[in-house]
Each structure stands twice: as structure tokens, then as C-alpha cells.
């Protein structure tokens, strides 16, 4: 097995193909995509690195219907299976059907995403059992650090309050952040498990848009969170291990996909959102989703990303491919003879 970021039972190298349980679904999706001249269109769209979605909403809906009819043909309530629950972007009913079809070991994930993930401040994080258990995993009760309420943000954020306020409003508009209308005492009553107020930082890099980071270390949320597993991410060596010296490098084409705001795809359970408070000009806000700066955020996203990659391997089971997920970056090596079809299937799945 070659590490691909999807757990100890997954491998990056799928060059020895064998049709899996999603192969018939892949055939049906490709039949639709080919009949509407979308296979070449998607490949061209990806090569051009366009920001827009390569498929119209109508095409996306048609693909959803095909997937649902294949996975649950006798279902009397397809709308429920295809619904998107609030504060997160996944069609969890469809995800559950895909996990059932592939006998994926992380079958509990859709229910966890539906309820919202914990921050680890009040109890152990649920374990995916896809990686070895961490040797130093402990309970938040073992940590003697109390949750703190910071009064100010970091210097970079304090020096540019207009930019910070603009970015926070964008986060609110996107549904990631919500203002808390009340005092800190009101917040403590609203979240009886406990509250923490972190420090915002404003990260600016040449050629990039400024980005908000909520520091959850300074208020001890991160210290109380213990990651239950030793998550393994692929490195350059894992890419090299998939290629032999005698391989024809010209027979392969690379695909790179980035999951935009990946951490924020995972919502936090309501009872824990009081640990994600921050201030901007005396106004309290809180994150409803996993944020940059939270120790728990990376773990929960890796669990989600790993699941998506395992399903991706399954949907491409007829085609020689290799794929790795490093945090929110997906790298795939696709056989050139079928690269457009594989690209189209991955886009259709995602």
C-alpha cells in the first residue's frame, strides 16, 4: 500500500484495474456525459483552470438523479436523499448511499456531519478508525487549562480594522460566521458547556488576498483538543513509489484539484460553537464551521477528504490511475488514453 492520505487501508496506486461496486454507476454517468458532449468540455475547462463550475445546475441535477436512481432505485423520497442540510455543502443522504455501496469503513461520517463535529474542548473527538491510534491521545478533562476570553485581536488585525470587518462580513454572507447579539455573559448562558474568545489575525501575503485566521491556541481550545489518530499525509516519496523506472511517463497526465475553503465545509455542532467566539470592534461573532486556526479543523477535514478520495478511487475503478490527497489538494495521475473520461467522472462525483 502506498500512502494516499485516505487511511491505512487505502492506496494511491490503482494501475492494476479491477471493476469495483461503483463501476456500473460510472458507466451510466459517462453515458450521460458523453451523449451531451460534456467529457471533452470538462477536460478543456480543467486545462484552462477556469474558476467557474464546468457543469450547469441543470446538468448537475441530472447527474444527481442518475446516481440516486442507480443507488436506491425503489426510493419514494429522492428529494430527502439529495437534500443539503444547513451550514454544510454535502448531500449527506447521497454520501451515505455511496458509502454503503462501497462498504466504506467510515459509514458513521454522514451522521457526524449532519449533527456537526465537536471541537474537542469538552470531550474526546470521535475516531474514524482509518489511521493508527495516537499514542498520546487524552481527554480534555485531563487538561488543567481553562478556556479564556481574549480582549483584543493580534496586532495585524488591530492595525487594519476596516479590512478585518470587510472579511468578517464576507464570512457572514457565506454562512461561515454569525454575529452574537448580546454580551459575553449572555454568550456564557447560551453555551453552558463553556465559552472561549480567541484572537483574530490578518494574514497578508504578496499576490494573495488577505485572509482571516482565528487563533484558538491563545484561548486554550487547541490545547484541550487531542487528535485521536496519527493521520498520515502523502509526501513526494509516496508519489515516486508509484512509478517504476521503466514506466512510460508520456502515458500519464496530471490533474490537480483544490478544495476551496475545505475546513469550512465541515460544520461545528451547535453546543461547541461558544468556543469559537471572537470580537471585532466590540461586536461578538462565532464560527459555525471548522476554521483556520483550530486544531480540530484539520483532523475533521482530513476525515472528510479521505472519504471523498476513497469514493473517487471506486468511481475510477475501471481506469488506471494514481491519486493522493494532501490536506485540501488532490493530485492524480491519469492514464492519457482515458484522462478526459476520468476527469469528467471526478467532476461529476464532486
Amino acid at each position: 500500500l502506498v500512502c494516499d492520505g485516505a487511511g491505512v487501508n487505502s492506496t494511491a496506486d490503482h494501475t492494476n484495474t479491477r471493476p469495483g461496486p461503483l463501476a456500473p454507476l460510472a458507466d451510466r454517468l459517462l453515458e450521460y456525459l458523453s451523449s451531451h458532449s460534456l467529457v471533452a468540455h470538462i477536460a478543456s475547462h480543467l486545462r484552462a483552470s477556469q474558476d467557474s463550475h464546468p457543469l450547469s445546475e441543470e446538468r448537475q441535477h441530472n447527474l444527481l438523479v442518475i446516481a440516486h436512481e442507480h443507488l436506491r432505485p425503489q426510493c419514494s423520497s429522492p428529494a430527502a436523499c439529495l437534500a443539503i442540510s444547513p451550514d454544510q455543502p454535502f448531500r449527506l443522504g447521497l454520501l451515505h448511499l455511496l458509502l454503503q455501496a462501497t462498504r466504506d469503513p467510515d459509514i458513521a461520517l454522514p451522521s457526524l456531519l449532519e449533527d456537526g463535529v465537536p471541537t474537542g474542548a469538552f470531550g474526546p473527538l470521535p475516531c474514524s478508525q482509518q489511521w493508527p491510534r495516537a499514542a498520546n491521545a487524552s481527554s480534555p478533562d485531563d487538561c488543567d487549562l481553562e478556556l479564556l476570553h481574549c480582549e483584543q485581536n493580534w496586532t495585524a488585525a488591530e492595525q487594519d480594522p476596516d479590512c478585518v470587518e470587510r472579511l468578517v462580513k464576507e464570512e457572514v454572507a457565506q454562512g461561515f460566521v454569525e454575529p452574537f447579539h448580546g454580551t459575553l455573559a449572555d454568550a456564557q448562558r447560551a453555551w453552558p458547556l463553556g465559552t472561549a474568545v480567541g484572537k483574530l489575525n490578518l494574514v497578508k501575503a504578496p499576490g494573495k488576498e488577505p485572509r482571516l485566521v482565528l487563533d484558538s491556541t491563545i484561548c486554550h481550545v487547541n490545547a484541550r483538543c487531542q487528535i485521536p489518530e496519527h493521520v498520515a499525509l502523502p509526501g513526494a516519496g509516496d508519489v515516486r513509489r508509484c512509478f517504476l523506472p521503466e514506466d512510460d511517463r508520456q502515458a500519464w497526465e496530471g490533474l490537480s484539484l483544490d478544495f476551496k475553503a475545505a475546513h469550512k465545509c465541515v460544520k461545528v455542532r451547535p453546543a461547541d460553537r461558544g468556543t469559537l467566539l471572537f470580537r471585532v470592534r466590540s461586536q461578538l461573532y462565532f464560527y459555525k464551521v471548522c476554521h483556520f486556526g483550530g486544531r480540530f479543523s484539520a483532523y475533521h477535514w482530513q476525515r472528510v477528504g479521505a472519504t471523498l478520495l476513497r469514493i473517487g478511487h471506486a468511481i475510477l475503478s475501471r481506469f488506471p490511475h494514481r491519486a493522493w490527497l494532501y490536506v485540501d489538494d488532490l493530485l492524480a495521475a491519469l492514464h492519457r488514453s482515458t484522462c478526459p473520461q476520468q476527469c469528467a467522472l471526478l467532476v461529476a462525483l464532486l
Side-chain angles (χ1 to χ4, degrees):
L1 297 178
V2 180
C3 178
D4 62 351
V8 295
N9 295 313
S10 184
T11 184
D13 196 338
H14 289 258
T15 49
N16 295 319
T17 58
R18 183 175 61 185
L22 293 188
L25 173 58
D27 291 341
R28 291 189 62 182
L29 294 175
L30 274 179
E31 181 181 2
Y32 172 83
L33 292 165
S34 299
S35 65
H36 292 83
S37 304
L38 293 172
V39 172
H41 165 74
I42 291 172
S44 175
H45 191 99
L46 294 177
R47 286 193 179 98
S49 300
Q50 298 185 44
D51 290 334
S52 59
H53 200 296
L55 297 173
S56 67
E57 290 189 8
E58 180 185 3
R59 301 295 193 201
Q60 293 177 54
H61 176 74
N62 292 340
L63 290 166
L64 285 167
V65 170
I66 291 170
H68 180 263
E69 288 179 347
H70 176 82
L71 293 167
R72 200 175 179 191
Q74 306 303 322
C75 179
S76 59
S77 57
C81 289
L82 299 178
I84 301 175
S85 63
D87 297 333
Q88 58 83 54
F90 301 110
R91 300 178 191 274
L92 297 174
L94 187 59
L95 177 61
H96 183 72
L97 294 176
L98 288 165
L99 296 179
Q100 284 183 319
T102 57
R103 297 184 179 180
D104 192 274
D106 201 359
I107 194 69
L109 180 63
S111 294
L112 178 65
L113 297 178
E114 179 73 45
D115 296 336
V117 301
T119 63
F122 309 117
L125 294 181
C127 184
S128 74
Q129 301 183 33
Q130 301 312 302
W131 292 279
R133 292 285 295 188
N136 60 345
S138 60
S139 168
D141 295 333
D142 299 330
C143 179
D144 58 2
L145 294 175
E146 294 184 1
L147 297 175
L148 302 180
H149 302 132
C150 299
E151 296 291 337
Q152 292 182 314
N153 294 315
W154 289 112
T155 302
E158 293 290 340
Q159 290 178 341
D160 197 347
D162 291 338
C163 181
V164 169
E165 191 168 36
R166 174 178 63 81
L167 293 176
V168 169
K169 287 181 178 178
E170 290 177 3
E171 298 274 79
V172 171
Q174 294 176 78
F176 301 144
V177 165
E178 191 171 304
F180 180 78
H181 301 292
T183 64
L184 181 57
D186 295 328
Q188 290 172 309
R189 286 188 288 271
W191 286 289
L193 282 179
T195 57
V197 181
K199 285 190 175 188
L200 274 186
N201 203 357
L202 185 62
V203 179
K204 296 181 179 179
K208 294 184 177 181
E209 291 292 320
R211 188 174 72 171
L212 290 176
V213 175
L214 174 59
D215 181 357
S216 288
T217 297
I218 193 71
C219 57
H220 297 162
V221 172
N222 284 347
R224 293 178 62 85
C225 170
Q226 298 299 313
I227 305 302
E229 298 174 289
H230 182 69
V231 175
L233 296 177
D238 295 299
V239 177
R240 294 191 195 100
R241 286 176 62 197
C242 289
F243 292 90
L244 299 174
E246 59 269 25
D247 279 350
D248 180 7
R249 303 301 173 91
Q250 299 302 313
W252 298 90
E253 191 162 355
L255 171 67
S256 176
L257 296 177
D258 173 75
F259 289 91
K260 187 176 182 181
H263 294 52
K264 296 172 185 175
C265 292
V266 184
K267 77 175 180 182
V268 173
R269 69 180 182 181
D272 281 36
R273 293 175 184 175
T275 63
L276 307 182
L277 288 160
F278 62 91
R279 287 188 178 92
V280 177
R281 287 176 169 164
S282 76
Q283 170 67 56
L284 281 173
Y285 295 86
F286 63 93
Y287 268 98
K288 299 191 291 182
V289 297
C290 293
H291 67 289
F292 290 104
R295 189 162 186 250
F296 61 92
S297 299
Y299 173 72
H300 288 309
W301 161 251
Q302 194 64 34
R303 182 172 176 178
V304 174
T307 302
L308 294 177
L309 179 53
R310 291 194 300 272
I311 298 174
H313 284 313
I315 204 79
L316 298 181
S317 63
R318 290 190 189 276
F319 304 96
H321 71 277
R322 291 131 169 170
W324 307 261
L325 181 69
Y326 189 87
V327 188
D328 55 1
D329 289 305
L330 176 69
L331 172 66
L334 310 175
H335 202 273
R336 191 175 295 274
S337 62
T338 54
C339 181
Q341 289 88 343
Q342 295 190 66
C343 288
L345 281 173
L346 285 175
V347 167
L349 170 68
L350 296 174

